mmCIF file of all heavy atoms in Angstrom:
data_model
loop_
_atom_site.group_PDB
_atom_site.id
_atom_site.type_symbol
_atom_site.label_atom_id
_atom_site.label_comp_id
_atom_site.label_asym_id
_atom_site.label_seq_id
_atom_site.Cartn_x
_atom_site.Cartn_y
_atom_site.Cartn_z
ATOM 1 N N ILE A 177 82.465 -0.789 36.853
ATOM 2 C CA ILE A 177 82.115 -0.846 35.436
ATOM 3 C C ILE A 177 83.015 -1.855 34.737
ATOM 4 O O ILE A 177 82.550 -2.762 34.053
ATOM 5 C CB ILE A 177 82.235 0.544 34.792
ATOM 6 C CG1 ILE A 177 81.184 1.488 35.377
ATOM 7 C CG2 ILE A 177 82.070 0.454 33.273
ATOM 8 C CD1 ILE A 177 81.294 2.914 34.886
ATOM 9 N N THR A 178 84.305 -1.675 34.872
ATOM 10 C CA THR A 178 85.293 -2.674 34.450
ATOM 11 C C THR A 178 86.436 -2.629 35.461
ATOM 12 O O THR A 178 86.654 -1.611 36.114
ATOM 13 C CB THR A 178 85.850 -2.395 33.032
ATOM 14 O OG1 THR A 178 86.453 -1.100 33.011
ATOM 15 C CG2 THR A 178 84.758 -2.472 31.981
ATOM 16 N N GLN A 179 87.160 -3.719 35.578
ATOM 17 C CA GLN A 179 88.202 -3.801 36.592
ATOM 18 C C GLN A 179 89.518 -3.164 36.179
ATOM 19 O O GLN A 179 90.221 -2.594 37.008
ATOM 20 C CB GLN A 179 88.457 -5.272 36.956
ATOM 21 C CG GLN A 179 87.439 -5.840 37.916
ATOM 22 C CD GLN A 179 87.536 -5.196 39.288
ATOM 23 O OE1 GLN A 179 88.481 -5.403 40.033
ATOM 24 N NE2 GLN A 179 86.562 -4.378 39.605
ATOM 25 N N ASP A 180 89.883 -3.272 34.903
ATOM 26 C CA ASP A 180 91.245 -2.928 34.506
ATOM 27 C C ASP A 180 91.350 -1.673 33.650
ATOM 28 O O ASP A 180 92.115 -0.771 33.963
ATOM 29 C CB ASP A 180 91.885 -4.110 33.756
ATOM 30 C CG ASP A 180 91.908 -5.374 34.591
ATOM 31 O OD1 ASP A 180 92.276 -5.281 35.785
ATOM 32 O OD2 ASP A 180 91.563 -6.442 34.063
ATOM 33 N N VAL A 181 90.601 -1.623 32.577
ATOM 34 C CA VAL A 181 90.733 -0.510 31.632
ATOM 35 C C VAL A 181 89.345 0.004 31.265
ATOM 36 O O VAL A 181 88.342 -0.684 31.459
ATOM 37 C CB VAL A 181 91.477 -0.936 30.343
ATOM 38 C CG1 VAL A 181 92.886 -1.380 30.665
ATOM 39 C CG2 VAL A 181 90.719 -2.054 29.627
ATOM 40 N N THR A 182 89.308 1.214 30.743
ATOM 41 C CA THR A 182 88.047 1.722 30.214
ATOM 42 C C THR A 182 87.890 1.270 28.766
ATOM 43 O O THR A 182 88.869 1.060 28.053
ATOM 44 C CB THR A 182 87.998 3.253 30.272
ATOM 45 O OG1 THR A 182 89.089 3.781 29.506
ATOM 46 C CG2 THR A 182 88.093 3.747 31.701
ATOM 47 N N MET A 183 86.657 1.132 28.348
ATOM 48 C CA MET A 183 86.363 0.690 26.990
ATOM 49 C C MET A 183 85.382 1.651 26.353
ATOM 50 O O MET A 183 84.442 2.112 27.021
ATOM 51 C CB MET A 183 85.761 -0.717 27.003
ATOM 52 C CG MET A 183 86.651 -1.766 27.634
ATOM 53 S SD MET A 183 85.849 -3.387 27.671
ATOM 54 C CE MET A 183 87.106 -4.326 28.572
ATOM 55 N N PRO A 184 85.562 1.983 25.068
ATOM 56 C CA PRO A 184 84.611 2.863 24.391
ATOM 57 C C PRO A 184 83.196 2.316 24.501
ATOM 58 O O PRO A 184 82.952 1.122 24.328
ATOM 59 C CB PRO A 184 85.103 2.847 22.936
ATOM 60 C CG PRO A 184 86.561 2.529 23.039
ATOM 61 C CD PRO A 184 86.683 1.589 24.192
ATOM 62 N N GLY A 185 82.254 3.208 24.819
ATOM 63 C CA GLY A 185 80.874 2.789 24.986
ATOM 64 C C GLY A 185 80.555 2.211 26.344
ATOM 65 O O GLY A 185 79.413 1.807 26.598
ATOM 66 N N ARG A 186 81.558 2.199 27.249
ATOM 67 C CA ARG A 186 81.333 1.666 28.599
ATOM 68 C C ARG A 186 81.895 2.620 29.652
ATOM 69 O O ARG A 186 82.490 2.200 30.632
ATOM 70 C CB ARG A 186 81.957 0.283 28.753
ATOM 71 C CG ARG A 186 81.331 -0.799 27.894
ATOM 72 C CD ARG A 186 81.607 -2.173 28.466
ATOM 73 N NE ARG A 186 81.015 -2.307 29.805
ATOM 74 C CZ ARG A 186 81.340 -3.304 30.644
ATOM 75 N NH1 ARG A 186 82.244 -4.204 30.298
ATOM 76 N NH2 ARG A 186 80.764 -3.367 31.836
ATOM 77 N N ILE A 187 81.709 3.941 29.450
ATOM 78 C CA ILE A 187 82.140 4.919 30.439
ATOM 79 C C ILE A 187 80.944 5.202 31.355
ATOM 80 O O ILE A 187 79.877 4.610 31.203
ATOM 81 C CB ILE A 187 82.653 6.193 29.735
ATOM 82 C CG1 ILE A 187 83.533 5.814 28.522
ATOM 83 C CG2 ILE A 187 83.476 7.072 30.668
ATOM 84 C CD1 ILE A 187 84.771 4.991 28.874
ATOM 85 N N GLY A 188 81.087 6.083 32.313
ATOM 86 C CA GLY A 188 80.059 6.290 33.321
ATOM 87 C C GLY A 188 78.685 6.619 32.787
ATOM 88 O O GLY A 188 77.679 6.034 33.207
#
Side-chain angles (χ1 to χ4, degrees):
I177 294 175
T178 59
Q179 280 293 290
D180 302 315
V181 298
T182 59
M183 301 178 184
R186 294 202 62 194
I187 317 300

